[in-house]
Amino acid sequence: MISHRENNAQRIAALDEQAEALRLRPGMGIAEARAMHPSIDVAEAEPEADRRLLESLADWCDRYTPLVAIDGENGLFLDITGCAHLFGGEKALLADLMARFFHQGFDVRSGLASTPGAAWAAARFAAGQIIAPGSERNFFARLPLSALRLDPKTKTSLESVGLRTVGAIMDGPRAPLVRRFGATLIERLDQGLGRLEEAISPRLPVAPLSVERHLADPLSLIEEVERLVGLLAATLKVDLERREEGARMLELLLFRVDGMVSRITVGASRPIREAVLIRKLFHERLTALGETIDAGCGFDLVRLSALSTARFDARQGDLAGEVEDDGEGLAIFADRVTARLGEAAVLEPVPAESHLPERAAAVVSFAQEENRKALAGKARRSPVNQPGRLERPIRLFRAPEPIDVPLTEVPEGPPPHFRWRRALHRVTRAEGPERIAPEWWRDGAEAPTRDYYRVEDADGRRYWLYRQGLYGAQAAAPRWFLHGVFA
């Protein structure tokens, strides 16, 4: 027996068959139940754990249909339209589902109908029954009001006037029922009877393309899984070629015999459809996951899906069969490294719309080709990134580092020497200043101005430093920072 706290009291949340035989019921207080049967076992409910279990069952049900939705705290909706013939029909699919749940140790109730409302009622009030299309009215007529998924207040109000079955609602006049009990009552009734369409919102997006393989002998070795990925990728390539597309995001689903499901996702910076490339990406990802993928008793279903696709522009080779490399080799290398080490492993700087040096470039993942192109194109149109800009250092620090500078001979001029990282540097040559105004729309109107200087010390090393603020323009004295080095 499972208990939960409700209104500062411990009450029964769920019962097993033995507890039901003792005439205990959900909602009864634990103290009252113990007074009747002192030997009962009570466990505290764990809603989060129950939710995770329900989500894992929803993942497993993907083997029957990709359209799986979670219904409340203990139910699942499966839209098997167009999928039943793959399992020998609706009856065979339902039998297979129930048998697998039973062998996994779950006691479930199922129902099958042409409407979600009728299937919900069949699972809870006529377990295992298949409601034929057109017979929903006869099925609902003898059921209690709970079969319509009404809220407790509406159900109690209906019972108080003698309406205790769905048949009594169907035979009554609609207008008075709506005025007294609300439009939801008739809406639920019409949804169950199929007069009003009710959509099922799947918990995960449906992949536009998928290929799978049911295995009589479950796979237990990762090498076997990789080999099967290559075969599935070859089949997927045919569908991608027909659509003139390539895959940008691929997902591998491994269904274990005991019900566990592993989801492995890889991305590509460019659309791909060659089976060899797809297999290499998953090889890197599976190698990175290592022992975290537990085959258990083996995988009896393997599915490869293209979650995201894009137009694939085929290129014509020359007479020797060679195709000009436009960065494809680099993209494949980056994709393999990303698959093994994550998206943050390969980054690329792109120009950004800002005239402050530390904001003039943004670092994005190499796999995000659209973002890189969009940022680069936008920055190229910005005046601050047009050709003819002044020279910038080879190495720009992530954040400017403060330096000690004595009073300069000319207040607005470069420093004669400065101390950086405990070392004193004597300036022999200097160029500047290059004045960079603050971005007042981001930093505020009081942000100080920067005067940048390119200086060279006595050892020939060149630095890029700036003075933040102007002498006499503010109460505090200006500060000096080193922002980069040229060589």
Side-chain angles (χ1 to χ4, degrees):
M1 185 169 61
I2 305 298
S3 69
H4 71 291
R5 181 167 292 277
E6 180 182 345
N7 297 328
N8 295 325
Q10 286 293 118
R11 299 187 178 278
I12 298 176
L15 301 166
D16 59 9
E17 294 180 352
Q18 294 181 352
E20 289 178 349
L22 298 176
R23 297 185 179 181
L24 300 178
R25 64 184 186 279
M28 178 184 291
I30 295 297
E32 181 182 356
R34 287 192 182 280
M36 297 171 57
H37 305 282
S39 60
I40 59 175
D41 292 330
V42 181
E44 183 71 21
E46 299 181 17
E48 289 300 324
D50 293 340
R51 186 71 178 181
R52 290 195 298 270
L53 175 61
L54 189 61
E55 291 177 350
S56 66
L57 294 179
D59 281 341
W60 178 82
C61 287
D62 275 358
R63 67 187 301 124
Y64 297 102
T65 172
L67 299 174
V68 181
I70 293 180
D71 175 46
E73 298 179 352
N74 57 4
L76 295 173
F77 274 123
L78 277 68
D79 187 349
I80 61 172
T81 304
C83 302
H85 69 281
L86 301 174
F87 300 88
E90 296 177 346
K91 187 175 181 180
L93 185 151
L94 192 62
D96 182 76
L97 183 145
M98 296 296 293
R100 290 179 180 273
F101 268 127
F102 174 78
H103 289 299
Q104 293 176 26
F106 293 100
D107 182 15
V108 299
R109 304 288 186 269
S110 64
L112 198 152
S114 57
T115 67
W120 188 94
R124 288 160 174 80
F125 299 94
Q129 187 171 343
I130 299 178
I131 311 302
S135 62
E136 292 86 4
R137 183 179 179 87
N138 294 333
F139 168 70
F140 272 108
R142 62 181 185 276
L143 297 181
L145 295 176
S146 301
L148 291 180
R149 297 173 289 172
L150 300 175
D151 60 273
K153 183 178 180 180
T154 303
K155 177 175 174 293
T156 302
S157 299
L158 289 166
E159 292 176 344
S160 65
V161 296
L163 301 175
R164 300 183 179 278
T165 63
V166 179
I169 302 297
M170 290 190 294
D171 296 335
R174 290 193 161 215
L177 288 173
V178 172
R179 284 196 300 269
R180 182 165 183 177
F181 303 103
T184 304
L185 172 63
I186 301 303
E187 179 183 350
R188 286 300 193 187
L189 178 61
D190 288 343
Q191 287 177 343
L193 297 178
R195 299 171 181 169
L196 185 64
E197 185 177 357
E198 181 181 2
I200 294 179
S201 300
R203 56 185 294 266
L204 297 175
V206 180
L209 290 175
S210 294
V211 290
E212 62 182 34
R213 182 73 60 87
H214 290 263
L215 304 168
D217 297 325
L219 301 180
S220 57
L221 299 178
I222 297 301
E223 292 77 10
E224 297 175 341
V225 173
E226 291 182 14
R227 189 159 46 250
L228 183 56
V229 168
L231 298 176
L232 294 175
T235 305
L236 186 64
K237 178 183 177 182
V238 177
D239 295 329
L240 290 171
E241 288 178 339
R242 175 174 47 83
R243 296 163 57 112
E244 297 183 354
E245 293 179 339
R248 289 297 308 275
M249 184 70 67
L250 294 153
E251 182 182 52
L252 179 66
L253 276 76
L254 305 175
F255 294 83
R256 231 166 60 177
V257 175
D258 59 357
M260 297 297 294
V261 181
S262 297
R263 293 180 178 270
I264 305 167
T265 305
V266 297
S269 56
R270 297 185 179 187
I272 60 173
R273 60 189 183 195
E274 293 297 330
V276 175
L277 297 181
I278 295 176
R279 180 175 177 178
K280 286 181 178 179
L281 290 182
F282 278 105
H283 168 75
E284 302 293 347
R285 189 62 185 149
L286 291 170
T287 302
L289 294 174
E291 297 181 356
T292 59
I293 300 179
D294 184 9
C297 298
F299 305 110
D300 63 341
L301 172 62
V302 179
R303 178 183 299 159
L304 179 64
S305 303
L307 298 182
S308 175
T309 60
R311 179 173 178 80
F312 187 91
D313 295 324
R315 292 175 295 157
Q316 179 67 44
D318 56 18
L319 295 178
E322 298 180 355
V323 179
E324 182 181 355
D325 186 9
D326 60 347
E328 182 179 358
L330 177 61
I332 294 173
F333 168 77
D335 291 341
R336 295 186 64 180
V337 174
T338 300
R340 177 171 292 217
L341 303 178
E343 288 193 358
V346 183
L347 304 176
E348 180 179 3
V350 295
E353 279 193 299
S354 177
H355 58 263
L356 290 182
E358 64 269 23
R359 297 176 182 169
V363 180
V364 298
S365 173
F366 190 88
Q368 302 174 359
E369 184 180 23
E370 291 84 357
N371 292 344
R372 291 189 286 112
K373 290 182 177 179
L375 288 173
K378 187 176 181 181
R380 279 194 295 269
R381 295 189 297 269
S382 176
V384 301
N385 290 303
Q386 295 297 331
R389 292 196 319 168
L390 296 177
E391 183 183 2
R392 290 292 182 258
I394 297 175
R395 179 189 175 194
L396 190 71
F397 298 155
R398 184 181 299 273
E401 299 186 7
I403 58 177
D404 295 329
V405 174
L407 292 177
T408 59
E409 298 178 358
V410 180
E412 302 297 331
H417 52 269
F418 62 91
R419 187 178 298 276
W420 174 54
R421 296 182 179 177
R422 300 182 180 181
L424 183 65
H425 300 269
R426 186 169 59 86
V427 177
T428 58
R429 296 181 181 180
E431 295 179 352
E434 175 191 353
R435 180 159 292 182
I436 298 181
E439 296 179 341
W440 54 266
W441 58 94
R442 300 174 64 177
D443 302 324
E446 302 300 327
T449 300
R450 298 181 183 181
D451 281 350
Y452 278 86
Y453 295 90
R454 294 179 296 279
V455 301
E456 181 179 322
D457 65 5
D459 296 327
R461 291 186 289 264
R462 301 177 63 205
Y463 305 93
W464 201 44
L465 48 85
Y466 70 89
R467 182 187 64 251
Q468 181 174 281
L470 301 174
Y471 288 102
Q474 55 192 15
R479 301 176 60 194
W480 287 84
F481 293 87
L482 184 64
H483 206 159
V485 294
F486 288 91

